[in-house]
Amino acid sequence: MKIDLLSPDSFAAGQPHDQYRWLREHAPVRWHDEPGGGAGFWAVTRHADVWAVDRDFQGFSSGPTILIPDPPEGQGQGFGPYKMMLMMDPPEHTAFRKLIRSEFTLPAARLRSDRIAALARQIVDAVIARSSASGGECDFVAEVAGEMPSFVIAELMGLPLEDGRELYKLTEIIHTAPEALPPGAGGAAVAKMFEYGTGVIAEKRARPGDDLASKLLACEVEGRRLEDMEFLLFFLLLVDAGGDTTRNLLSGGLLALMEHPDQMAWLMADLPGRLPSAREELLRWTSPVIYMRRTARRDLELAGQQVREGDKVVMYFGAANRDPAVFENPETLDLARDPNPHIAFGTGPHGCLGQHIARIEIDAMLAEVLGRMTGFELAAPPEWLPSNFISGPKTMPLRLRPREA
């Protein structure tokens, strides 16, 4: 079995579950070389090992980066002395996470349910109108799946909805593997994000509102206000991570339902009652975030392998979420699966802060799309995002039609 978890070609039609399966069975913690002089890394594919690494911040650090490639020497993540929250460990990570945690608790997320439901109706209204004029076709990723998280994070930050859509386009470039882009395109996208964020700083300082951007600029960490670059890294993280899971779950999840008509029929027999378990199974099935990297803080043993201090250790969530030691018939899509201890949102200190809002967004959009549309049919093969970090369709041309009243 050829194992290559770096090439975008391995992820050209979704995650490489054949490679994951071989690794879980034969080498659950396996050394993986990096081309171009990279140091290499340990690929971790069993559920128990991914769970253990993700929760052990004393043994495995999130710095200097959660990406496989190392940042340029002496540049941290490329932002001078500043770090994104994802690249911090407790207690520093805890202090920064605390600044925004209250906005993402389950009660806070539920307070946004009605507005999120209204946005879902608005999005589906628009796609029905457009698809009617275009013979019932739409690009489900751009016109539906990408709209919801773009709008929600824009409202959360106090930005125009249209700006959220444009920022989403930048995140797609940032997630694309560098070799699939023109030289410098990823860095240019980050620069544009920072340029926009700099405008947000000026606007919110001049006219603060009841939004997360204004609150971030007014809050203190360790007795001081955030510096501009610290805010910009927060801004990048919130916009970037705010759309990943929702966008790719909605598009990849609908594709899975189309490929499994028996499961679609089971869900539609009681959409409101069965949607929660279906959503969790679709999260397990699609696992939109492919990996997160940690760096060993000391010599230690992991699944019988001797990991040295400084080694890269990479957790593959899609592999963990199909581990037969945890999931019965893991290669079967079972929307009624119970229990379903997937870790699509990660676990431990770095468990996804926005997962409660993401679940509400997913439920609202699936309820609108499946409840009001039918006849889902691919108008062309989906094109997958050329990325080894985020998994999901980049484009998914669909034919669909409104359900008859």
Side-chain angles (χ1 to χ4, degrees):
M1 169 64 68
K2 179 183 178 181
I3 302 298
D4 185 353
L5 300 180
L6 290 177
S7 172
D9 292 344
S10 293
F11 300 85
Q15 300 204 40
H17 289 289
D18 54 343
Q19 296 186 46
Y20 291 162
R21 192 179 307 113
W22 188 93
L23 287 167
R24 282 193 309 266
E25 293 175 2
H26 300 283
V29 177
R30 182 180 189 265
W31 186 255
H32 193 300
D33 291 328
E34 283 182 81
F41 60 92
W42 295 101
V44 183
T45 49
R46 289 192 308 202
H47 189 283
D49 299 324
V50 170
W51 176 275
V53 170
D54 210 11
R55 300 181 74 85
D56 183 10
F57 65 88
Q58 294 173 321
F60 301 94
S61 174
S62 296
T65 177
I66 50 83
L67 301 174
I68 292 173
D70 283 319
E73 189 173 352
Q75 292 188 29
Q77 188 52 30
F79 308 114
Y82 303 102
K83 293 185 289 185
M84 190 178 287
M85 187 174 68
L86 276 179
M87 283 62 159
M88 300 175 184
D89 298 310
E92 182 185 27
H93 172 266
T94 308
F96 275 79
R97 187 176 172 111
K98 195 174 183 180
L99 298 179
I100 58 173
R101 185 175 56 198
S102 63
E103 299 287 333
F104 294 96
T105 63
L106 182 55
R110 284 175 173 161
L111 289 175
R112 298 183 181 275
S113 294
D114 289 347
R115 177 55 181 158
I116 289 173
L119 286 171
R121 286 192 296 274
Q122 175 183 325
I123 291 165
V124 173
D125 285 345
V127 84
I128 287 174
R130 285 195 301 269
S131 63
S132 297
S134 61
E137 287 194 15
C138 75
D139 178 0
F140 188 80
V141 179
E143 297 181 49
V144 182
E147 293 282 81
M148 171 60 83
S150 303
F151 288 171
V152 170
I153 197 64
E155 289 209 339
L156 191 65
M157 300 290 283
L159 311 175
L161 296 189
E162 180 60 34
D163 289 7
R165 184 184 290 130
E166 293 305 309
L167 291 169
Y168 146 63
K169 294 176 183 177
L170 294 176
T171 68
E172 194 170 62
I173 295 172
I174 293 168
H175 288 153
T176 299
E179 55 266 40
L181 292 169
V190 172
K192 287 183 180 178
M193 189 83 76
F194 282 175
E195 180 181 357
Y196 184 91
T198 300
V200 173
I201 292 173
E203 170 68 21
K204 300 302 180 181
R205 282 181 176 155
R207 287 171 288 277
D210 186 26
D211 55 71
L212 184 53
S214 298
K215 291 174 184 177
L216 270 173
L217 289 167
C219 71
E220 293 186 352
V221 59
E222 299 175 347
R224 62 175 180 81
R225 295 282 181 92
L226 292 181
E227 296 184 34
D228 285 3
M229 180 54 78
E230 290 174 316
F231 173 86
L232 290 173
L233 290 172
F234 250 125
F235 182 76
L236 175 62
L237 172 62
L238 289 166
V239 173
D240 204 20
D244 290 344
T245 300
T246 302
R247 178 172 65 246
N248 294 299
L249 182 283
L250 288 170
S251 51
L254 180 60
L255 182 62
L257 291 173
M258 292 166 60
E259 292 172 341
H260 297 82
D262 60 321
Q263 292 296 294
M264 174 78 93
W266 178 88
L267 176 58
M268 295 308 299
D270 179 12
L271 183 58
R274 294 175 174 179
L275 189 52
S277 71
R279 171 235 302 148
E280 295 305 310
E281 176 67 350
L282 291 173
L283 282 165
R284 182 192 76 87
W285 188 259
T286 59
S287 295
V289 177
I290 295 171
Y291 78 80
M292 284 283 171
R293 166 192 162 179
R294 299 291 183 259
T295 302
R297 305 181 90 160
R298 62 176 185 274
D299 291 353
L300 46 80
E301 183 177 303
L302 180 63
Q305 296 292 342
Q306 296 300 315
V307 178
R308 301 301 180 191
E309 179 180 355
D311 281 357
K312 305 177 191 182
V313 179
V314 180
M315 305 170 288
Y316 283 91
F317 297 111
N321 283 335
R322 297 203 187 184
D323 188 342
V326 175
F327 302 97
E328 186 176 355
N329 299 320
E331 303 293 341
T332 298
L333 181 70
D334 178 8
L335 299 184
R337 187 180 297 277
D338 183 33
N340 193 346
H342 71 78
I343 45 179
F345 287 112
T347 183
H350 285 280
C352 177
L353 192 60
Q355 61 182 282
H356 300 307
I357 288 181
R359 285 184 166 98
I360 291 171
E361 292 176 22
I362 291 163
D363 287 359
M365 282 307 312
L366 287 177
E368 285 291 317
V369 169
L370 298 177
R372 296 178 59 192
M373 309 294 290
T374 190
F376 301 103
E377 179 183 280
L378 287 173
E383 176 189 351
W384 287 75
L385 189 67
S387 172
N388 61 20
F389 181 58
I390 298 295
S391 178
K394 181 179 181 181
T395 62
M396 195 165 92
L398 282 188
R399 296 187 187 95
L400 37 74
R401 63 180 185 273
R403 290 185 180 274
E404 296 181 3

